[in-house]
Amino acid sequence: MKRNHILDRTHQEVYRKVAIHEAGHAAAIYLGNKQKRLPPVFFQIFITPVNDDIQSSRFLNKPNTKYIVNIDGGRLIHTLPSSIKEATDGFSPAQVIAYRCAFEADMINILVGSLAEAKYIVHRGGELINPHLIHLNTEYYFNGTSELESINEYLECFLEKSALRKQKITELFFAALSFVNERSNWHAITALADYIVSADKSVIECNEIISVLEAANISPVFLQNDT
């Protein structure tokens, strides 16, 4: 599940938004898949300096401030088939259901990043995120363009008819929004974002991510607020 976002550690608000976005993906990959009883997958968060800043640092004696952050791994479907029908040929009914569930989970996990960022921005403006305020087109304004392209690739394998694909992505969008709005999930997302912001590392390992998410994903009854 690779996607690159440029973050600038001198601009804390931008840095925080990017961290929330990637933390949303990570929480969905780990907690969302676990909630669906899907098999665990390996993933990491990479934070690497932009090449131009490396050069300026070397020649101008300035510290690097811009970095590329991305999640590597995290998908249940490693290679997209030409169609679900082809991929599940010879599968038992139970295996077909499991494969389709994994397919949908990957798409939801992709959507969650932009929706987590949208929720953060909306909350900063003093509003609550809801389906009337946030909709699919919003993805284009929250670093989600390439992610929607990935989902469209999934959908082309998943469903043949365009009308059914539109119906399915709306369904997935609401599932992703529901995940983000779940208080314990949001608490885990913000905790991981804090960890990303504070960690002085080039790689945040899978076990570190899981530890942060597990510690933060407590029962909503113990949470005082969801921001």
Side-chain angles (χ1 to χ4, degrees), residues 81-207:
S82 59
S83 70
I84 287 281
K85 184 177 181 181
E86 176 188 286
T88 58
D89 184 41
F91 282 22
S92 69
Q95 289 173 323
V96 172
I97 291 172
Y99 189 84
R100 292 177 68 91
C101 184
F103 225 85
E104 291 189 7
D106 272 357
M107 290 187 278
I108 291 170
N109 297 347
I110 293 170
L111 280 168
V112 165
S114 288
L115 288 174
E117 184 177 345
K119 179 181 175 76
Y120 172 73
I121 292 171
V122 168
H123 276 207
R124 294 280 292 179
E127 299 183 72
L128 297 176
I129 190 171
N130 62 73
H132 301 292
L133 187 62
I134 301 296
H135 50 81
L136 272 174
N137 290 336
T138 306
E139 295 285 309
Y140 287 95
Y141 302 101
F142 295 100
N143 297 316
T145 305
S146 64
E147 294 168 0
L148 281 180
E149 290 173 356
S150 295
I151 291 170
N152 285 332
E153 291 176 0
Y154 268 81
L155 286 171
E156 287 174 3
C157 306
F158 198 67
L159 295 165
E160 293 182 2
K161 295 182 179 179
S162 176
L164 292 178
R165 290 198 293 268
K166 289 180 180 179
Q167 180 179 336
K168 175 56 67 174
I169 195 167
T170 299
E171 175 188 322
L172 297 172
F173 176 84
F174 280 104
L177 185 60
S178 177
F179 177 87
V180 169
N181 278 335
E182 173 59 46
R183 294 183 73 191
S184 59
N185 293 337
W186 182 245
H187 192 257
I189 289 169
T190 55
L192 181 57
D194 289 340
Y195 189 82
I196 294 170
V197 169
S198 62
D200 185 19
K201 297 182 177 183
S202 58
V203 181
I204 302 178
E205 302 286 354
C206 190
N207 62 329

Side-chain angles (χ1 to χ4, degrees), residues 11-112:
H11 293 81
Q12 289 300 312
E13 180 64 16
V14 174
Y15 192 9
R16 175 73 171 169
K17 286 191 295 184
V18 172
I20 287 283
H21 189 115
E22 297 305 320
H25 290 308
I29 292 167
Y30 177 67
L31 297 173
N33 289 359
K34 185 178 179 182
Q35 290 162 9
K36 299 180 183 76
R37 299 185 179 180
L38 291 165
V41 289
F42 178 82
F43 62 102
Q44 298 171 297
I45 296 175
F46 284 87
I47 304 172
T48 53
V50 176
N51 288 335
D52 288 345
D53 277 1
I54 294 175
Q55 293 173 359
S56 66
S57 175
R58 182 181 304 160
F59 294 109
L60 301 177
N61 196 30
K62 292 182 179 180
N64 294 330
T65 59
K66 291 184 179 179
Y67 296 78
I68 292 175
V69 58
N70 67 273
I71 286 185
D72 182 63
R75 293 201 185 189
L76 292 156
I77 307 298
H78 299 289
T79 303
L80 291 178
S82 59
S83 70
I84 287 281
K85 184 177 181 181
E86 176 188 286
T88 58
D89 184 41
F91 282 22
S92 69
Q95 289 173 323
V96 172
I97 291 172
Y99 189 84
R100 292 177 68 91
C101 184
F103 225 85
E104 291 189 7
D106 272 357
M107 290 187 278
I108 291 170
N109 297 347
I110 293 170
L111 280 168
V112 165

